[in-house]
Structures are given as structure tokens and as C-alpha cells.
Amino acid sequence: MVSSAALAGFALVALGMVCTPGPNMIYLLTRSIMQGRMAGFISLLGVTALLMAVPFAYGALQWAGGLYLLWLAWNAVKPGARSVLEPRRDLMVDGPRKLFLMGFVTNLLNPKIAVLYLSLLPQFIDPAQGHVLGQGIELGLLQISVSFSVNIVIVFTAGSLARIFATRPSWLKMQRWLMAGVLTGLAVRLVMDRRPA
């Protein structure tokens, strides 16, 4: 069993990670804004499905995630770019299977998940408390619960947020540049991070 202090500490870390903008948040926002709550919810299930598995290919995920973040950053600020919070009706509507798979792949390439599970989670496991794998599973389920709770709020409030931003074009521009800066910083940090041997 994980101690109460470790559970509380890890819950705060998980909350901080899920509240930091990243690929999952952007994907869930765009799907919810463009296709509605049900599409956002199905996408969230795809995102959550990957959290059930522990990432093993850290190096490949690290580079793929870094490149993906840079691509997202460029798409946020390139000439003619639109904010992810700007409603669009010119895109095709994706079916439930594609939404789920896209959520799964988005989370697969999410560098925050790799950092969380490979760098932060082990710091909350205490071999003196008993079964290490059991503690890892308990912390993983806690992280899934925290992430799911925050992301479901994002899914269900994205449309309202989009309407607010639509009436303030300067906020949309500022949001694009802020998002590009955060994504670039995360990409650089991810690619430069060296996993302990």
C-alpha cells in the first residue's frame, strides 16, 4: 500500500501535469469544440486507454513526442494559423472509432505521460511499504482518475470557452502564441531530458 502522504503528493503532481497544456488537452479541446461533447468524451476514452499501459519505448516516444510538440507549436503560429479554441465547421466529422484511436495515439505521443510514469511515479514508491508493482498500479490508477476528472471538465466546457474566445480575437492570437511557446519549451525539455541509466 502507498502511504497517504505519497498518495496526496502524487495526486498533486498528477493534477499539475494534467492541467499543463499539452497534446491531450489540445486534442480534447479541438474535438469537443468541433464535434461536441460526445466526440470529446470518446476521444478522452482513447486518451485514457493508453494510461492503462506502462510506456516501454521511452527513447522512441521521447523523440516522437518532441517532434509532435514542435509540429503542434508551428501549426499554432504559422501564417494563416487558427487557434484551437476557434470553432471550425469546415472539418470532416470523425466517427467514434477514429476519435478513440486518435485519442489513443495522441496520448501515446504525449511526453508528459512518459515523464510522469518514468521519472515522477517511481519517486512515490517505497519498497518498505510492500509490493512495489501494487504501489505502481495504485498510483497509476490515481493518476488516471485525476486526469480523467480534469479532462472530462475540459470536454464539457470547451464549447463555452470557444464562444468566449470567439468574441475576443486578440485573446485567440495571444492563446496561439502562448501555446506555441509552451509546446516548444516542452519539446526542447523532452528531447534534452536524459533518462537515468
Side-chain angles (χ1 to χ4, degrees):
M1 288 298 276
V2 180
S3 71
S4 298
L7 282 173
F10 188 70
L12 286 174
V13 168
L15 180 62
M17 293 291 279
V18 75
C19 290
T20 304
N24 287 350
M25 185 179 290
I26 293 164
Y27 175 68
L28 292 172
L29 278 169
T30 58
R31 285 297 128 193
S32 299
I33 290 168
M34 288 185 253
Q35 286 186 246
R37 290 178 177 171
M38 184 53 75
F41 181 71
I42 293 169
S43 299
L44 174 58
L45 294 177
V47 166
T48 306
L50 185 64
L51 294 175
M52 298 293 188
V54 178
F56 292 105
Y58 183 78
L61 287 176
Q62 183 179 26
W63 281 96
L67 291 172
Y68 180 63
L69 287 172
L70 289 174
W71 179 78
L72 288 173
W74 167 247
N75 280 308
V77 296
K78 70 181 180 182
R82 296 172 71 168
S83 170
V84 296
L85 299 175
E86 187 176 346
R88 294 181 63 183
R89 301 290 177 222
D90 59 335
L91 299 176
M92 287 182 18
V93 173
D94 295 320
R97 180 178 179 177
K98 185 172 182 181
L99 291 168
F100 182 88
L101 290 174
M102 287 170 51
F104 187 85
V105 170
T106 300
N107 204 34
L108 180 66
L109 298 176
N110 186 349
K112 292 191 306 181
I113 298 304
V115 168
L116 182 71
Y117 278 94
L118 297 173
S119 299
L120 298 174
L121 183 134
Q123 296 177 37
F124 291 90
I125 294 176
D126 182 4
Q129 291 287 331
H131 197 259
V132 171
L133 178 59
Q135 290 181 63
I137 291 170
E138 187 177 351
L139 291 169
L141 290 173
L142 174 63
Q143 188 274 326
I144 290 168
S145 298
V146 169
S147 294
F148 191 87
S149 299
V150 169
N151 285 325
I152 198 74
V153 170
I154 289 170
V155 164
F156 286 115
T157 59
S160 300
L161 185 61
R163 283 190 292 280
I164 292 168
F165 273 90
T167 62
R168 295 168 178 89
S170 60
W171 286 18
L172 287 173
K173 185 176 182 178
M174 181 179 64
Q175 177 274 326
R176 285 185 14 242
W177 281 96
L178 178 64
M179 181 177 73
V182 168
L183 291 172
T184 300
L186 286 171
V188 169
R189 181 176 175 199
L190 176 68
V191 171
M192 302 305 280
D193 181 43
R194 293 293 165 237
R195 191 172 164 203

